[in-house]
Amino acid sequence: FQQVCTLVTGMLESLRFNLDLVSFIPVSGFTGDNVSTTLLPEKLTSWYAGPSLLDALDALRVPHRPINASLRVVVTSVLLGADGVNYSGSQGGSGSRFDVAIKVLQGRIRTGRGVGIAPTLGIADVCKLTTSDGTPVQLLRAGDAGVATLADRGGRSAAEVSPWDGMILYKGQPSVRSSQRFKATILTMENLNPPMLPGSTFDIYLHGESLQCRLRKIYHTTVTKATGESRQVRRPKCVGKNRSAYVQIQTERPVCVEPFSECKALGRFAMRHRGMTSA
């Protein structure tokens, strides 16, 4: 248990987590030990005095939800009909309706309103909203998940729209920007091997979307000395493990990204290589 705590703490610290808000709770999935206060065996209480899993969940602070920000909704999955076609079975004047599972990142999505579909230039009407358990609703807010029935305003069918996981529904300014090249600050992991070189390819994961990317440029890295002082190394040849670097990334097709200060969910991503997280 202590070994796991040490390893995970080091990783979270490198990712700038606030360790004061992190708890480590030993739980046995096999016997149910420490899931609740009624399942506390003596062999556990002899060395652990923290909360049970359920107590810790009950004590979590409800996070602030950016309900009043510009609408950003991520498509988490495309729902298919029995014949493998993405549709909800009804026809309307604005084209075939189709269903997508969604997660509201910020803002509010309402039935009867229009939303942009990025990274395409399409616009769709929200015909119906349901919660994850199938309850019809008129509104979903930041933090909510559910299913949206959409109808393309251009009259395109679901096959023509061809939605995919990771698409963004949006409304309000600024509009969602799509790009194949962007600059970002990355934090490399302890298991990075070999070092990152310009031209290296990775799998990049952005808000549910997975595709290939290439590290095009390394502008600078940040090296921390044993004394705790940090210095920048400009135009390095590579990025080693446990380093912060400012780089340019190119993806195989346009993706929706925004500055972290504007939308946290669209400013985060992970880079993986051979099944291991690299940065």
Side-chain angles (χ1 to χ4, degrees):
F1 177 75
Q2 295 300 337
Q3 182 184 18
V4 170
C5 291
T6 300
L7 291 173
V8 177
T9 296
M11 183 190 71
L12 296 179
E13 200 167 25
S14 70
L15 295 173
R16 309 294 194 269
F17 273 73
N18 183 354
L19 297 181
D20 292 336
L21 302 179
V22 175
S23 299
F24 292 92
I25 303 170
V27 172
S28 171
F30 185 69
T31 63
D33 291 353
N34 206 33
V35 172
S36 72
T37 52
T38 61
L39 297 169
L40 290 174
E42 185 177 346
K43 61 185 178 183
L44 177 64
T45 56
S46 63
W47 61 270
Y48 176 74
S52 67
L53 177 61
L54 293 182
D55 287 344
L57 291 176
D58 288 338
L60 286 175
R61 294 186 299 177
V62 178
H64 168 72
R65 302 295 189 185
I67 295 175
N68 296 319
S70 298
L71 178 66
R72 298 291 186 267
V73 177
V74 62
V75 173
T76 57
S77 66
V78 179
L79 306 181
L80 300 178
D83 56 358
V85 178
N86 170 252
Y87 73 114
S88 63
S90 60
Q91 299 285 332
S94 58
S96 296
R97 298 182 178 185
F98 55 96
D99 298 332
V100 290
I102 60 172
K103 173 70 180 292
V104 185
L105 305 177
Q106 61 181 41
R108 290 166 282 197
I109 184 170
R110 298 177 183 271
T111 57
R113 302 288 179 87
V115 292
I117 308 175
T120 72
L121 300 178
I123 298 177
D125 290 315
V126 182
C127 303
K128 181 181 178 182
L129 291 172
T130 61
T131 59
S132 299
D133 61 3
T135 304
V137 292
Q138 295 295 312
L139 173 73
L140 290 176
R141 298 178 176 84
D144 292 340
V147 174
T149 300
L150 306 176
D152 183 71
R153 282 189 179 178
R156 295 179 298 171
S157 66
E160 291 171 317
V161 175
S162 188
W164 65 83
D165 298 359
M167 292 184 79
I168 299 298
L169 310 179
Y170 68 92
K171 191 177 183 67
Q173 296 298 322
S175 299
V176 172
R177 289 156 284 185
S178 62
S179 175
Q180 278 190 266
R181 293 187 188 182
F182 57 90
K183 297 176 182 178
T185 298
I186 62 172
L187 293 165
T188 58
M189 308 298 288
E190 171 69 30
N191 57 15
L192 178 65
N193 186 32
M196 287 184 166
L197 298 167
S200 302
T201 58
F202 298 88
D203 294 319
I204 188 169
Y205 293 79
L206 310 97
H207 44 78
E209 187 173 7
S210 173
L211 65 162
Q212 277 202 327
C213 73
R214 185 181 301 275
L215 184 70
R216 285 187 54 84
K217 296 180 181 179
I218 306 172
Y219 296 105
H220 62 75
T221 61
T222 302
V223 178
T224 303
K225 301 179 181 179
T227 59
E229 297 179 3
S230 298
R231 65 182 180 88
Q232 283 189 358
V233 178
R234 302 190 64 82
R235 300 290 180 181
K237 293 182 179 180
C238 64
V239 183
K241 63 181 181 180
N242 293 329
R243 290 282 186 270
S244 171
Y246 189 54
V247 300
Q248 184 189 96
I249 295 171
Q250 179 176 343
T251 54
E252 60 179 310
R253 55 178 166 78
V255 294
C256 299
V257 290
E258 289 191 327
F260 185 79
S261 58
E262 295 181 13
C263 181
K264 293 181 179 180
L266 298 186
R268 290 192 182 108
F269 60 88
M271 300 171 70
R272 291 172 62 85
H273 182 64
R274 294 180 180 177
M276 302 289 288
T277 301
S278 301

